[in-house]
Amino acid sequence: MTEIVLGVGASHSTLMNTHWEETYHKDRAERFRDALGQARDALAAARPDTVVLVGSNHFRGFWLDLIPSFTIGVDECIASGESGTPKGPQPVDRELALYLAGSLVERSGFDVAFSARLQIDHGQSHAVQYLLDGLDVDLVPLVVNVFAPPLPTLERCERLGRAIREAVLAFPGDRRVAVIGSGGLSHRLPWPDWRDPNGEDEEFMVGAWLNGRENWQDYDVRRREIIRAAEASLNPEFDEEFLSWMERGQAHRLTEYTTAELEKVAGNGAQELRTWLLMSALLDHIPGRRLAYEPMPEWLTGMGVAVLDPAQAPAQTSAQTSERQS
């Protein structure tokens, strides 16, 4: 019987790789990095065969010429390798990935896109670098559109997580499957709404997103400069509340937000919390354990790590289960 053995939610930032020495709050940075190590050790102890890796893409694998809401990598998966993250082919559990893609279409009403040659960036490879370091696991990469509106609603992301859970548990065999949600917490990136760019920098960014399919590296130097020049905009109060939901098994409460409301309270980068929400739904929203929360203005992001372990979760009452599924 296929099992779901662990869930991990973790923020990512390439500034952790490229600007570690310039980081002022080194104590916070070290606590976050140590928490990633703890989560990595928890994954190793869970002995997964496969990791469903839910993440975003920052216009290095998807462009404005075609952006699906959800895409499953079903064969080749290639990491772009920007900013010190892993580069090159990643191992894919092709059998499970194809099964999930088919099951979601035929049984769950989710017409997910699929890719037989998926390019991921640090929205997922940051997790490969720090959470899967040294682990012999295959991936089922799932990319969620969190940056090019219209975005899939939070409620639909939660329902997709539950549908994938049902499909994984019905998969023949005895796979041990872990889930990672990579992204968030609160942060605001100097990225425009592509439909209405204002000023030279925003017009450049939209041009990069539209024209970068064959030459994304040509745009990265100026993209990096624009990001480095941005002022941090974090909301630690929101982050604390969200992590408390994770600890109480209430991450589904994020669906109370519309996309616009979430951006207003936690920034456009917080749309990545869809990945945590999907992960939590895949773990049936069991109560989790917070390993770290560190507001990192130098990295423009609220950095959090949490683990959801079915072996440690208290038994749920039927009323609680019904509440989560309503």
Side-chain angles (χ1 to χ4, degrees):
M1 182 179 72
T2 296
E3 300 176 78
I4 298 175
V5 296
L6 198 75
V8 176
S11 305
H12 59 240
S13 171
T14 56
L15 295 171
M16 178 177 171
N17 287 355
T18 60
H19 288 74
W20 182 269
E21 296 305 323
E22 293 84 353
T23 299
Y24 298 121
H25 298 93
K26 199 63 67 69
D27 53 342
R28 300 181 188 178
E30 289 174 347
R31 285 195 293 268
F32 174 75
R33 184 181 61 186
D34 291 346
L36 290 179
Q38 294 176 48
R40 182 266 175 208
D41 291 345
L43 282 161
R47 297 180 291 106
D49 303 298
T50 301
V51 171
V52 177
L53 180 50
V54 187
S56 56
N57 193 279
H58 306 70
F59 297 99
R60 295 186 183 86
F62 291 86
W63 288 268
L64 290 177
D65 57 4
L66 183 63
I67 297 214
S69 292
F70 308 107
T71 304
I72 292 181
V74 297
D75 198 344
E76 297 179 38
C77 177
I78 303 163
S80 57
E82 84 281 9
S83 302
T85 52
K87 182 177 183 179
Q90 305 298 314
V92 171
D93 186 340
R94 186 172 183 269
E95 185 181 13
L96 179 58
L98 283 168
Y99 173 86
L100 291 179
S103 178
L104 290 171
V105 171
E106 295 171 5
R107 302 176 186 172
S108 302
F110 281 94
D111 300 322
V112 294
F114 68 88
S115 173
R117 184 170 292 160
L118 178 68
Q119 178 160 304
I120 62 173
D121 70 4
H122 73 270
Q124 292 174 304
S125 56
H126 194 274
V128 172
Q129 181 175 15
Y130 290 101
L131 296 175
L132 302 181
D133 181 32
L135 303 187
D136 182 17
V137 296
D138 290 334
L139 305 179
V140 175
L142 171 64
V143 181
V144 182
N145 172 28
V146 300
F147 291 128
L151 309 182
T153 65
L154 290 153
E155 186 272 342
R156 185 158 176 80
C157 291
E158 199 273 343
R159 282 199 288 125
L160 177 61
R162 281 194 269 147
I164 296 175
R165 173 183 173 80
E166 291 179 6
V168 168
L169 295 179
F171 183 67
D174 56 359
R175 290 279 205 292
R176 296 176 62 84
V177 177
V179 189
I180 293 174
S182 177
L185 303 166
S186 70
H187 62 297
R188 186 172 296 279
L189 299 171
W191 286 14
D193 183 328
W194 68 272
R195 299 165 297 188
D196 186 28
N198 292 295
E200 187 177 340
D201 282 349
E202 292 194 358
E203 290 173 359
F204 165 80
M205 294 292 265
V206 172
W209 299 346
L210 181 62
N211 302 310
R213 182 172 292 278
E214 305 298 334
N215 56 344
W216 61 269
Q217 295 95 334
D218 295 345
Y219 296 97
D220 259 21
V221 171
R222 184 169 172 186
R223 279 177 46 147
R224 198 73 175 168
E225 291 172 350
I226 293 171
I227 291 172
R228 286 294 298 153
E231 293 186 8
S233 177
L234 312 183
N235 186 340
E237 292 77 18
F238 169 86
D239 293 340
E240 290 285 352
E241 182 176 40
F242 177 75
L243 289 171
S244 73
W245 291 346
M246 294 295 299
E247 292 174 311
R248 299 198 302 268
Q250 298 177 349
H252 56 85
R253 294 184 61 178
L254 193 66
T255 62
E256 297 170 6
Y257 285 88
T258 66
T259 296
E261 289 168 345
L262 182 59
E263 176 167 347
K264 183 176 181 180
V265 71
N268 57 357
Q271 305 295 356
E272 289 180 326
L273 283 174
R274 285 163 170 77
T275 66
W276 287 58
L277 181 62
L278 263 156
M279 178 275 295
S280 181
L282 260 152
L283 271 291
D284 200 25
H285 295 303
I286 60 174
R289 180 165 59 97
R290 178 196 316 207
L291 300 182
Y293 173 65
E294 304 294 342
M296 291 296 299
E298 304 99 311
W299 300 350
L300 305 177
T301 307
M303 308 298 289
V305 184
V307 171
L308 277 62
D309 186 350
Q312 301 295 322
Q316 302 295 306
T317 68
S318 58
Q320 288 172 316
T321 302
S322 177
E323 179 187 359
R324 290 197 308 272
Q325 293 178 347
S326 64

